[in-house]
Amino acid sequence: MLTVGAVGLASKLFLRLGCSEVHVNGLPILLDALKEENRQGQGIITVANHISVWDDPVAWGILPWRSYFSSRTTRWTLGASDIMFTNPLLSQFFRNGQVIETFRGQGIHQEALNVATEKLNCGDWIHIFPEGKVNQVKLQPGRGLLRFKWGVAHMMLRAKVPPKVIPIYLEGFDDVMPENRGFPKFLPRLGSKIRVTFGEPAGITQEVGSIIEGWKSQGQQEVEEGDADPEAKVRIALTDVLQQAVKRLGDNVTQQSHS
């Protein structure tokens, strides 16, 4: 846990000294979910919009420092092999940082998603950016969230117990590392206003659970002849639920900030 602890504390320091404002709403929602007595064999999935290369790990600088020293209270996440695992040193660093190596182009049937599903089955916390890449809406006004990828739905379908799902909406990290930044490209911009908002898990978790249970009891038996991907419809339904949850949360945050 040395790597996670060091990065977590560095992220906390950056939020305190490198940002002009940091607003956190709903953090107790996540902290309550991470309590062992509240898990009961149920994994946790957090899903968020992805607005900069610094979203993770810097956003987790909002957690209590003691969270960084247990794998049960820090997230596991997926990371692209061609970006994070390009040499032995980086590979070791990211593996120690609870990042699961994922290969672009291999789709949902790859070992990384099996590993993540096993983490869920152990009651661990998985964080996902379902858009699959950085999407800075400020640079393309009106675009909104990108279509969520199916990987998160694949994990949900294969988890022994449908996971608790917590939507998160991030703001301001796109000012820390804007995609159109000039030299020095690798350094963060200081003085940004950061906001991290957690949504309530009850409604979305219940909706996800109902979709999965319905699929298990009926959908699996109703495979149409010649259907090459019988799970496609349920994956679409699940990712739609997640996308709408993050969008609603973002709309509420934007409305409140302008009121």
Side-chain angles (χ1 to χ4, degrees):
M1 297 305 299
L2 182 61
T3 300
V4 173
V7 172
L9 293 174
S11 297
K12 186 175 288 291
L13 187 65
F14 177 80
L15 291 178
R16 178 170 295 184
L17 301 180
C19 300
S20 62
E21 296 179 21
V22 178
H23 300 278
V24 182
N25 302 306
L27 179 58
I29 292 170
L30 176 61
L31 298 182
D32 286 346
L34 292 174
K35 293 178 180 178
E36 289 295 337
E37 61 268 26
N38 293 336
R39 299 198 194 195
Q40 300 179 345
Q42 184 182 38
I44 301 161
I45 288 182
T46 51
V47 292
N49 56 319
H50 198 6
I51 56 175
S52 90
V53 294
W54 268 40
D55 295 345
D56 186 306
V58 176
W60 309 126
I62 65 175
L63 294 173
W65 66 267
R66 62 184 178 275
S67 301
Y68 306 135
F69 299 97
S70 170
S71 63
R72 296 288 285 176
T73 52
T74 51
R75 61 90 188 104
W76 290 85
T77 193
L78 305 178
S81 178
D82 60 331
I83 296 176
M84 297 182 177
F85 296 84
T86 54
N87 62 59
L89 185 61
L90 282 177
S91 296
Q92 190 62 45
F93 174 79
F94 284 112
R95 289 193 183 99
N96 289 344
Q98 296 189 186
V99 179
I100 303 168
E101 185 175 9
T102 310
F103 295 89
R104 297 179 189 270
Q106 291 191 10
I108 59 175
H109 301 291
Q110 60 173 291
E111 184 60 23
L113 297 187
N114 296 335
V115 172
T117 301
E118 284 306 308
K119 298 294 183 185
L120 289 176
N121 289 338
C122 293
D124 286 332
W125 166 24
I126 301 287
H127 178 72
I128 299 290
F129 294 108
E131 291 176 282
K133 64 179 182 178
V134 171
N135 175 29
Q136 294 190 346
V137 178
K138 287 181 181 178
L139 299 180
Q140 299 189 52
R143 182 165 71 176
L145 292 171
L146 299 177
R147 178 74 186 176
F148 280 15
K149 304 292 186 181
W150 284 358
V152 62
H154 182 80
M155 289 186 285
M156 290 175 170
L157 288 173
R158 276 153 182 76
K160 293 178 181 177
V161 178
K164 179 174 290 187
V165 184
I166 302 174
I168 302 173
Y169 196 77
L170 305 176
E171 292 182 296
F173 291 94
D174 45 354
D175 294 324
V176 175
M177 292 293 273
E179 289 290 279
N180 61 351
R181 62 192 180 276
F183 181 84
K185 194 173 179 66
F186 60 90
L187 289 180
R189 279 38 177 174
L190 304 179
S192 298
K193 297 179 180 180
I194 299 296
R195 186 183 300 271
V196 181
T197 304
F198 296 84
E200 291 290 343
I204 183 174
T205 299
Q206 183 177 10
E207 191 169 0
V208 163
S210 296
I211 292 172
I212 293 173
E213 290 306 312
W215 172 73
K216 287 182 176 179
S217 63
Q218 296 180 0
Q220 287 177 296
Q221 309 301 323
E222 298 175 357
V223 178
E224 297 180 7
E225 185 177 354
D227 193 345
D229 189 359
E231 293 181 8
K233 291 180 180 179
V234 70
R235 287 199 296 265
I236 291 171
L238 288 170
T239 51
D240 281 349
V241 168
L242 300 183
Q243 182 147 4
Q244 288 305 311
V246 174
K247 182 181 184 301
R248 282 195 304 269
L249 184 60
D251 289 345
N252 290 339
V253 169
T254 301
Q255 186 176 23
Q256 291 172 9
S257 64
H258 291 165
S259 61

